[in-house]
Structure formats: C-alpha cells, structure tokens
Amino acid sequence: MEDRDYMALALELAKRGVGWASPNPMVGAVIVKEGRIIGQGWHEKCGQPHAERNALAACTESPQGSTIYVTLEPCCHYGRQPPCTQAILDAGIRRVVVGSGDPNPLVAGKGLALLRQAGVEITEHVLEDECVKLNEVFFHYIRTKRPYVVMKYAMTLDGKIAAYTGDSKWVTGAEARAHVQQLRHRYTGIMVGIGTVLADDPLLTCRIPGGRNPTRIICDTQLRTPLTAQVVTTAKDSPTLLATCCTDPKKRAAYEAAGCQVLTGPERDGHVDLNWLMDELGRREIDSILLEGGGTLNWAALEQGIVQKVLTYIAPKLAGGKEAKTPVEGTGISLMSQAIRLTHSTVTQIGEDFLIESEVVPDVHGNR
C-alpha cells in the first residue's frame, strides 16, 4: 500500500465522526510500521480525544519509528484536549503524512513546523482535495465564525414543492427521504420559517436510531408559533430556538417556560435579519445549518447571502398548477444576469429520484 491508500483509509475512519465531532473537524488517523497497520482511530465526539491519540491508544505494538497518516494537520495547542503534536513526539513517530492543513489560526502550519523542528519527517497534501471536502463545514466555520448553510428542498420535475392545494406528502420517495435524515444527523442545526411550522407542524428531528437531533431554529418574526406546536412541546427534549423581532416579554416568557430559547434581534425587509442570526448562531457553536424552509425563507437566505450549498431532490413527476408553490419565491431577480449562480454541481440517483448538489457562487459585488 502507498501513502494515498493509507490516507484513503484515514478518510473513511474520519467519516465515522459525522454529526458527533462538530464543531470540531472530522479527522482520521492510521499508524503504519514496517508495512503493517498497528493503530487506527478517529475523532469520535467533540470533547473526547482526537484521532491521533485514539490511534496511538489502539496500537497493537510500540509506535516507535512508525508513520502516522492524518487527514488534518495535528493540533499544537490546548483546547478541549491537549495538543496531538506532543502525543506524536512522545510516541516516537518518525514520519507524519498529512492530508490538509488546519485553517484554525491556533494551528495553521504551526503544528507541522513544531514537528519538523523536532526532526519528524513531514509529507503534505496527500488526497488534499478529499480531506478539504470532508471538512467544508469546519473550514467555513473556523474562518467566518458563522454556520455553513445548506439549503435543501424537494421538487417535481416541473419545479413544484407541493400541489396547488398545498399537499406535499410525498414529493420524493422513501430512499430520498431517508437520505434527508442522514443530513439532519450530520448538520448541527435545522432551520425553517413560521410558515412551515403553521402549515406542517413539523417535528424536525432525526429519525435515524441513535442519531443526533439538530438544534431546531424557527424564524418567527412576530412570535406566532403555537404553544401547541411540536417544536415547542418537545423543546425540553430537543433544543429549540426561536429567532424573532418581537420584544413582548410576556410572549417570550411563555416559550421560555416551555423550554425554548428566544433570540430577539433586528428586522430586515419585515423579517428577522438572517445575517445577524448567523452571527448569533455562530457564537453558540452552531457550525452548520440544514435549511428546510419554504420559498419565502429560501429566497431571503439566498438574497442575504448566507447559503453555501444547495441540495435539490428532483422527483420524476409533474405537478402543474400556476399557483403551486416553488422552492424559491420572494421578489426574485429582475434580470437573468442577476441570477444566483451555482457551481461544482454533481448528480446522484437515490431510488427513483435525483439529488443535485451545488455550491453557491458568492456575489462578487458583495451583496450576497
């Protein structure tokens, strides 16, 4: 096996931390001695030992003189855990092979520099693109201190998210809906608007056995969420946050008594200012959000420039109806040249449906 093969294994290990490692990165590590894999590990959960220390703890023989393959540059500072660089040095590791650098200013090349100074051989950039892609959420969050926002919706082939009656069960098949549950486990928060709560009374939890429930974020400008809504009645079991512009203390108290957190902030175009909200959520270590809103919230999120990725599930169906809801509504653009552009699109078939995954091209004029 070559460096790329061992790093590919480390990547697969890193993925086991999905949903649990955040707001830390997902990291995998493999220790090899004389062609034998003697230790493997990954960052299992935020606050627990990092991948390098887990791999060292799992070693079947002394790691002295071995090579460690790590998907992300080893940390060199004290955070929730002690520095991994020291563990590597203490173990007598001879060579460190790294997939990607760590953008965290507390690390950012310092970890590798420290190891080099101690005489450790360093090899960088092995499967770098794959390692960076794995931690797109962490890279965005550590650089901006704001959540990585993924806008997700399901629509028919003619662009409808519901029939003209409002019925939307179900646009896509069971396989696609199961895939969405994986996303709810993966991302730290899930966000909808008050319209979705009033229309569907969703629970917004992860249905995967043993999965992690995301923090539920409701954009509710005037605090109209019914106290009987599922997101309120289950707030003591699953974190729920209401973002509002309402300053009525009596209204706020009722939700807080039910276990909800209420964030009161500024208004923009008659709704909660989403950029203000992203700053607030970032301070609460919500590093990623699955946006499952309707057309109004989706447009506001795109127009205010908070979306990094768009996931479009397309069902091979035609719904028709000029009044039927579409995934992005709002004012929209006046000229096609103003359209929000997407890039790096991939297409995956899931059951009978198709998933198009795209990244949002930032507005060069700074409006988004």
Side-chain angles (χ1 to χ4, degrees):
M1 292 176 68
E2 299 180 350
D3 285 351
R4 291 174 61 88
D5 300 311
Y6 292 121
M7 189 61 73
L9 175 56
L11 273 166
E12 289 306 308
L13 290 169
K15 292 174 185 176
R16 298 186 187 184
V18 66
W20 300 111
S22 61
N24 287 348
M26 290 179 278
V27 183
V30 176
I31 300 174
V32 179
K33 186 173 185 178
E34 298 175 355
R36 305 183 307 276
I37 296 176
I38 65 169
Q40 303 179 55
W42 67 95
H43 185 34
E44 298 176 12
K45 192 172 185 179
C46 181
Q48 295 183 5
H50 292 177
E52 298 93 324
R53 289 182 178 271
N54 281 333
L56 286 167
C59 278
T60 56
E61 59 183 276
S62 171
Q64 182 80 31
S66 62
T67 297
I68 186 168
Y69 294 83
V70 190
T71 55
L72 187 73
E73 176 183 4
C75 65
C76 56
H77 67 289
Y78 282 87
R80 291 183 174 94
Q81 290 290 319
C84 291
T85 49
Q86 191 59 52
I88 289 170
L89 293 175
D90 291 344
I93 299 288
R94 177 185 62 83
R95 179 176 176 239
V96 175
V97 181
V98 175
S100 69
D102 189 336
N104 187 338
L106 296 173
V107 185
K110 299 172 186 175
L112 295 182
L114 188 153
L115 293 170
R116 281 194 180 97
Q117 289 168 9
V120 177
E121 180 185 345
I122 303 294
T123 301
E124 299 181 69
H125 314 302
V126 177
L127 297 187
E128 182 174 26
D129 289 346
E130 292 88 338
C131 291
V132 170
K133 180 69 174 176
L134 176 69
N135 279 312
E136 60 188 3
V137 166
F138 172 73
F139 277 46
H140 174 83
Y141 178 67
I142 205 71
R143 286 169 174 155
T144 66
K145 305 301 181 187
R146 305 174 93 190
Y148 185 91
V149 179
V150 179
M151 188 173 81
K152 164 261 162 186
Y153 54 84
M155 69 180 191
T156 60
L157 203 55
D158 57 342
K160 307 298 184 182
I161 62 174
Y164 77 89
T165 59
D167 177 64
S168 61
K169 292 182 173 55
W170 295 103
V171 174
T172 53
E175 294 91 340
R177 299 200 301 275
H179 188 264
V180 171
Q181 298 305 314
Q182 296 177 32
L183 299 178
R184 290 185 177 187
H185 169 74
R186 176 174 185 173
Y187 297 113
T188 308
I190 184 170
M191 188 164 79
V192 300
I194 179 60
T196 297
V197 173
L198 294 176
D200 301 333
D201 190 21
L203 191 55
L204 302 177
T205 54
C206 175
R207 284 9 180 240
I208 299 173
R212 182 194 56 80
N213 285 331
T215 295
R216 302 175 295 192
I217 304 152
I218 315 301
C219 292
D220 183 0
T221 308
Q222 301 301 328
L223 274 186
R224 294 188 294 138
T225 298
L227 291 172
T228 55
Q230 291 193 92
V231 291
V232 177
T233 59
T234 61
K236 292 181 179 178
D237 301 316
S238 187
T240 303
L241 191 155
L242 301 176
T244 184
C245 300
C246 177
T247 58
D248 185 338
K250 291 184 180 179
K251 275 191 173 183
R252 177 181 182 127
Y255 294 106
E256 291 176 336
C260 299
Q261 299 178 61
V262 182
L263 285 180
T264 303
E267 183 179 300
R268 175 169 171 171
D269 298 328
H271 300 284
V272 172
D273 186 322
L274 297 179
N275 275 287
W276 162 81
L277 180 57
M278 292 305 104
D279 289 335
E280 289 295 317
L281 296 177
R283 281 191 277 272
R284 286 164 171 75
E285 293 194 333
I286 295 178
D287 65 350
S288 54
I289 292 173
L290 182 64
L291 177 58
E292 288 199 23
T296 299
L297 181 58
N298 284 347
W299 168 251
L302 290 167
E303 194 274 333
Q304 293 186 41
I306 69 165
V307 180
Q308 281 69 54
K309 180 178 285 189
V310 178
L311 300 182
T312 305
Y313 295 85
I314 300 179
K317 303 174 182 177
L318 301 173
K322 67 178 182 179
E323 301 300 326
K325 294 287 187 179
T326 57
V328 182
E329 297 177 347
T331 304
I333 59 170
S334 58
L335 299 171
M336 193 53 66
S337 60
Q338 300 170 341
I340 295 164
R341 295 176 54 238
L342 306 177
T343 187
H344 298 141
S345 297
T346 60
V347 181
T348 305
Q349 185 164 1
I350 303 178
E352 295 183 349
D353 306 309
F354 296 88
L355 169 62
I356 301 179
E357 183 173 343
S358 307
E359 296 175 11
V360 177
V361 177
D363 184 355
V364 295
H365 300 297
N367 297 320
R368 290 190 296 273

